[in-house]
Amino acid sequence: MRSVRVRAPSWFGAPLRRAAAGGAAVAAGALAAGWPYWRGHPAAAAVTLACCGGFAVAGGLLAAGPLGRRTGAAFTAGAAAWALTWTGSWNAGAGPVVSVFAQSVFFVAIGVGVLLYPGGRLDGAVVRLWTGATAVVMIGGQAALCALSRPAWNGFGGAVAWPSVTPHREAFDCTYRAVTTLEAVLAGVLVIILLLRLPGTGRLDRRYTVPVAAAVTVGVAGALAVQNSLIGRHVTLDDVMEVYLVQGVFATVLPLAFLAAALRARLAELTAAERMQRLTDPVSVEKVRDALRRVLRDGTLDLWLWAEDGYVDVAGRRVAGGAGRAPGRWRHEVRTSAGEPLAAVDADDRLRRHAPLVDAALIAGGRALETVRLQAAARANLERARDARERLVRVQAAERERLAGELQRSAQQRLRALEDLLEGLEEAAGPRAREQARVCRRELAEAAAELDGLARGVHPAILTDAGLAAAMRLVAARSAAPVRLDLPDRRYPPEIESTLYFALCEALANAAKHAGAAEIRVAVRDEDGRVVAEVRDDGAGGAGAVPGGGLAGLTDRVRALRGRVDVDSPRGAGTTVRITLPAPR
């Protein structure tokens, strides 16, 4: 984790000067390399020098920024190679050989630069295989063409230095077609790789990679079409120079697309402050989090705020393992000017490449973060109180179950044993003592029955043994009004079953006692991650929670488990009590 610091845009100052100097140097090199051709073609010279220098400037700017650093280095190398390509215009010495191999290096550098964007790595076996195959076809294929040809077959003079080994026109033409076909296949594979990458990229990256993929398709298709125009015809030096010219124009589409994408990224940084302020007015914890999600285009982003001794989420719940890092996630810490923890953003790891934009959004939202931290602290205190109430309900449910079991196992067993002892005394005693023993046995039987009822009231054994559905069937059978049940057979945690049981019993008792219902319906179901129970009757209606009444107690019990109770009771239209509890975690 690191603190947020204000950063100057990465393209101003020294990086821009270095990129401009590099572009000027490459343009000067292209001018010197192609001078014999430029003297007779000034318009072509202006276009090519602008493209070549622009290619180098774009590469230098990309290399200076965090997005596409290695792509920029590859483009800069490609621009230098393209300048050397024009040495063929001298048509003397080693210039033509340097020219054809520089052209191959140029296209390899472009392809590698495209695949390095934006992560800076050649990820995956297919990408690495494509890179190796492209280097072999472009450079190795050019070497084979040189070995099988004479300079004149490539548009150059016969006196130039040329690495011919076994010149053979038919073999040269076949090899030329084969190399050109392989280049077209590799170009198509490159486009497919870029398209297959799109679904796996983040939403923010996709804004920049889609235009790049389109530019690659246009640029590569145009360059190949021009290259294919030389097949099966007598080639002159002017033909070769024209092909270089048109290919350079098509190729320049690529750095322009990358440069436009990077400019969009810088523009997003500059507008982050305005967007954050607009999206967080009025300020709330949820609005700040949602604003960060929209500005950074990451729907999974989560915002944690520092409260006392740890991070809490937007609901005030303590974040477990706040200092750890989950796979594929990036945790970015925000600190106050005094260096104290303020907040942390848990985002998709792919946003790491856009750290300046993340910083800009967090700086813009800094004041809002300071404000909502107080809200988060209050929510954290409320959440701790709720946790305490929830733990208390669980303890009460467990204690009820323990006490009911203890009554049945211990006290009732003793009463039964004492009853058996009196029965034995009754048989052995005289008439008067026998009558007294009978009276004692009746009293013991009544006490045992009362104790059994008390145990069922504390926590019925059937609820523990067979679950909510079985316990409610027993309650329905004893109800004064007919009850229709729609209950699942599944089991819930003890605190859920206990709370639902007593809440449903209370609602049933109210319906039977006060509503004058002819029929009561009870249903329990799982719904959207919650447990929902409903008690409907066709009685008089007009029910409501009275302080100290049954519905009020029912509501308190349910709220202790983070649930809620809704009562719909219009007069003369019956009553519906709806109990909602969060599903077991």
Side-chain angles (χ1 to χ4, degrees), residues 392-413:
L392 180 60
V393 169
R394 290 197 179 99
V395 169
Q396 287 177 343
E399 186 61 21
R400 280 175 175 272
E401 185 177 350
R402 187 198 64 78
L403 181 57
E406 192 67 27
L407 286 173
Q408 291 178 333
R409 284 191 303 270
S410 178
Q412 284 187 332
Q413 286 179 2

Side-chain angles (χ1 to χ4, degrees), residues 168-520:
H168 191 284
R169 183 70 200 202
E170 185 176 351
F172 169 73
D173 289 341
C174 291
T175 303
Y176 194 97
R177 290 189 179 90
V179 170
T180 305
T181 301
L182 288 174
E183 289 172 353
V185 171
L186 289 170
V189 172
L190 175 61
V191 173
I192 291 173
I193 289 173
L194 294 178
L195 292 176
L196 292 177
R197 272 183 173 183
L198 292 179
T201 58
R203 290 179 60 194
L204 197 59
D205 283 334
R206 207 169 298 147
R207 294 183 64 198
Y208 311 129
T209 53
V210 169
V212 167
V216 168
T217 303
V218 173
V220 170
L224 285 174
V226 174
Q227 187 75 23
N228 289 340
S229 67
L230 298 179
I231 297 178
R233 53 179 271 199
H234 179 69
V235 180
T236 65
L237 181 61
D238 282 346
D239 294 331
V240 175
M241 296 298 103
E242 288 179 5
V243 167
Y244 285 173
L245 174 64
V246 178
Q247 284 183 336
V249 173
F250 273 111
T252 307
V253 173
L254 297 179
L256 291 178
F258 278 89
L259 195 58
L263 283 171
R264 289 184 71 188
R266 301 289 82 75
L267 183 62
E269 293 177 26
L270 296 175
T271 60
E274 184 272 332
R275 295 175 65 196
M276 283 295 297
Q277 291 174 3
R278 174 166 45 85
L279 294 171
T280 56
D281 187 26
V283 175
S284 71
V285 181
E286 290 81 1
K287 280 199 170 186
V288 174
R289 180 201 60 192
D290 294 343
L292 288 170
R293 286 179 175 179
R294 291 182 63 180
V295 170
L296 301 178
R297 292 180 176 267
D298 180 8
T300 67
L301 181 144
D302 205 356
L303 176 64
W304 301 337
L305 295 155
W306 187 264
E308 296 182 2
D309 57 350
Y311 286 110
V312 297
D313 61 17
V314 294
R317 291 186 293 266
R318 183 72 58 181
V319 177
R325 293 185 180 181
R329 306 296 296 173
W330 178 42
R331 198 152 300 166
H332 196 63
E333 187 180 68
V334 187
R335 291 182 177 271
T336 65
S337 57
E340 299 174 352
L342 173 61
V345 173
D346 183 71
D348 191 313
D349 189 59
R350 289 170 290 200
L351 275 179
R352 192 189 301 270
R353 294 194 289 264
H354 304 277
L357 176 59
V358 177
D359 288 348
L362 291 173
I363 291 169
R367 187 170 299 175
L369 289 174
E370 289 277 8
T371 302
V372 299
R373 183 172 64 165
L374 301 177
Q375 298 178 15
R379 290 185 179 183
N381 292 331
L382 180 60
E383 191 65 22
R384 280 196 289 269
R386 287 174 176 171
D387 286 340
R389 290 177 63 190
E390 190 173 348
R391 287 193 298 271
L392 180 60
V393 169
R394 290 197 179 99
V395 169
Q396 287 177 343
E399 186 61 21
R400 280 175 175 272
E401 185 177 350
R402 187 198 64 78
L403 181 57
E406 192 67 27
L407 286 173
Q408 291 178 333
R409 284 191 303 270
S410 178
Q412 284 187 332
Q413 286 179 2
R414 290 187 178 184
L415 289 175
R416 301 297 183 194
L418 185 55
E419 186 178 358
D420 292 339
L421 179 60
L422 285 173
E423 184 179 1
L425 290 175
E426 181 183 347
E427 293 177 357
R432 185 174 179 182
R434 189 177 297 120
E435 183 59 29
Q436 291 177 344
R438 287 196 189 98
V439 173
C440 290
R441 284 181 59 198
R442 284 197 301 270
E443 293 291 335
L444 283 174
E446 291 176 3
E450 289 177 1
L451 190 60
D452 187 53
L454 176 61
R456 285 197 302 270
V458 171
H459 192 93
I462 191 172
L463 182 63
T464 302
D465 297 337
L468 180 64
M472 289 308 301
R473 281 194 288 268
L474 187 60
V475 172
R478 297 172 179 171
S479 175
V483 179
R484 294 178 59 182
L485 298 176
D486 181 11
L487 306 174
D489 290 330
R490 63 162 293 188
R491 298 298 302 268
Y492 296 101
E495 67 274 10
I496 297 288
E497 286 190 338
S498 176
T499 299
L500 281 178
Y501 173 79
F502 289 107
L504 292 174
C505 286
E506 182 66 36
L508 276 175
N510 286 338
K513 183 177 179 181
H514 303 295
E519 184 181 64
I520 305 172

